[in-house]
Amino acid sequence: MCRVVDLRQAVLAKNDVAAQVLRTELTARGTTVVNLLSSPGSGKTALLERELLLGRERGVAVAALTADLATENDAVRLARSGVPVKQVLTDGLCHLEAAMLGRHLDGWLPADTRLLFVENVGNLVCPAGYDLGESLRVVLASVTEGEDKPLKYPTAFGLAQLVVVTKTDIARAVEFDEAAFRANVEQVNPGVEVVLTSARAGEGLGVLLDRALAAGEGTGTHTPVMARRHTHGHGHTHGHGDTHDHDHDHEHEHEHEHGEDHVHDEDRDHPHVHPVAQTR
């Protein structure tokens, strides 16, 4: 057990170094990374498609990279916005890592990209501990998932710099208790902004884009209490909790249970990459 935890900590430390390098490089070229985390089926792709289209309409150079275990379905949907989109298939890996992201951006990401939205693998456990060099970390939850979601996944919600509630057009039908959800978010991440959205009805549309632009300018970005207090070169405070929830520990125990240490070999090009659209 101690060996597994030590390995996890070493992997996270290595990832933090790679994330800092990537953040510095992208910041120097004027690109802001937004890391989107959620459970499967949260409506993340539907909302992102609307935000990408809005960004294009506003003349903001936006792009998206989406990661899944299988299929190119999300990339095909996002490509309808007309912005550059790339699909990464992780072959079973339940999260993206900074070095992986950097490799897949190399030679693909347009030089003038102002905002890069990274749609992480649908999972609130594995991706929570991995910094991708982002300037804004967003956690999304739909009204159908239950008001106690933040308490069940305290690392994911505790490290968020913005929390987005999706599918609010059906909130009344599923008896979503907004006050209870907000109270639970506040318990694990005091002061973080909670935004209500509906991709179908258009509620809250553009808020994610606005917050991403503000993060790129270094203004108004929430610093989670759980985050380690270390400041990166461009003045953005980011980090991961000193402790991780038990679900996260268990996930890593499972990954290494059969000696599958190849899932963290950042030199092995195991994910398949598919550029789906590069239309400006």
Side-chain angles (χ1 to χ4, degrees):
M1 178 64 178
C2 291
R3 182 186 64 82
V4 173
V5 173
D6 289 344
L7 177 59
R8 175 176 62 83
Q9 292 173 345
V11 168
L12 290 174
K14 182 179 180 180
N15 182 80
D16 282 346
V17 172
Q20 172 58 22
V21 171
L22 183 59
R23 181 182 291 107
T24 300
E25 292 176 349
L26 291 176
T27 299
R29 58 185 276 181
T31 300
T32 298
V33 177
V34 181
N35 186 7
L36 304 175
L37 295 83
S38 78
S39 300
S42 68
K44 177 168 76 265
T45 305
L47 179 63
L48 180 54
E49 182 182 354
R50 296 290 302 273
E51 296 286 338
L52 293 175
L53 182 59
L54 182 61
R56 184 184 178 193
E57 291 173 349
R58 290 184 181 179
V60 179
V62 294
L65 181 145
T66 181
D68 276 306
L69 275 67
T71 83
E72 299 179 18
N73 295 348
D74 286 353
V76 170
R77 291 174 60 188
L78 295 178
R80 296 183 303 199
S81 66
V83 309
V85 174
K86 179 179 248 187
Q87 176 78 59
V88 173
L89 300 183
T90 65
D91 286 344
L93 186 62
C94 61
H95 61 272
L96 286 173
E97 297 179 11
M100 293 165 52
L101 178 62
R103 287 200 307 272
H104 303 324
L105 296 182
D106 187 28
W108 166 75
L109 187 67
D112 65 341
T113 302
R114 187 172 177 187
L115 296 178
L116 171 65
F117 290 92
V118 177
E119 185 178 17
N120 219 314
V121 180
N123 189 323
L124 284 177
V125 179
C126 297
Y130 288 85
D131 183 359
L132 297 183
E134 69 262 20
S135 293
L136 183 65
R137 174 176 289 211
V138 183
V139 174
L140 303 90
S142 74
V143 297
T144 62
E145 296 179 60
E147 295 80 1
D148 62 347
K149 202 79 169 186
L151 303 182
K152 290 183 175 180
Y153 299 93
T155 301
F157 282 88
L159 289 173
Q161 293 163 299
L162 178 67
V163 174
V164 175
V165 178
T166 61
K167 304 184 182 181
T168 57
D169 54 299
I170 60 171
R172 179 175 295 183
V174 299
E175 299 182 345
F176 175 67
D177 188 335
E178 180 185 342
F181 180 83
R182 287 182 178 275
N184 291 334
V185 170
E186 184 69 14
Q187 183 174 330
V188 299
N189 193 345
V192 69
E193 182 181 13
V194 177
V195 176
L196 304 181
T197 67
S198 168
R200 177 177 296 177
E203 180 181 5
L205 186 63
V207 175
L208 179 57
L209 187 67
D210 291 340
R211 299 298 182 271
L213 289 170
E217 295 169 358
T219 61
T221 305
H222 171 70
T223 302
V225 173
M226 185 181 287
R228 293 176 185 167
R229 304 291 179 170
H230 66 278
T231 302
H232 296 284
H234 67 298
H236 170 65
T237 302
H238 184 84
H240 304 294
D242 293 319
T243 59
H244 297 270
D245 56 83
H246 296 298
D247 286 342
H248 188 66
D249 290 339
H250 175 75
E251 190 71 35
H252 276 277
E253 290 173 32
H254 178 72
E255 287 178 1
H256 295 282
E257 189 174 32
H258 303 292
E260 296 179 312
D261 54 355
H262 66 281
V263 299
H264 291 301
D265 182 359
E266 296 175 347
D267 294 323
R268 178 176 177 180
D269 193 19
H270 54 279
H272 301 302
V273 183
H274 302 271
V276 175
Q278 298 190 31
T279 304
R280 297 301 296 170

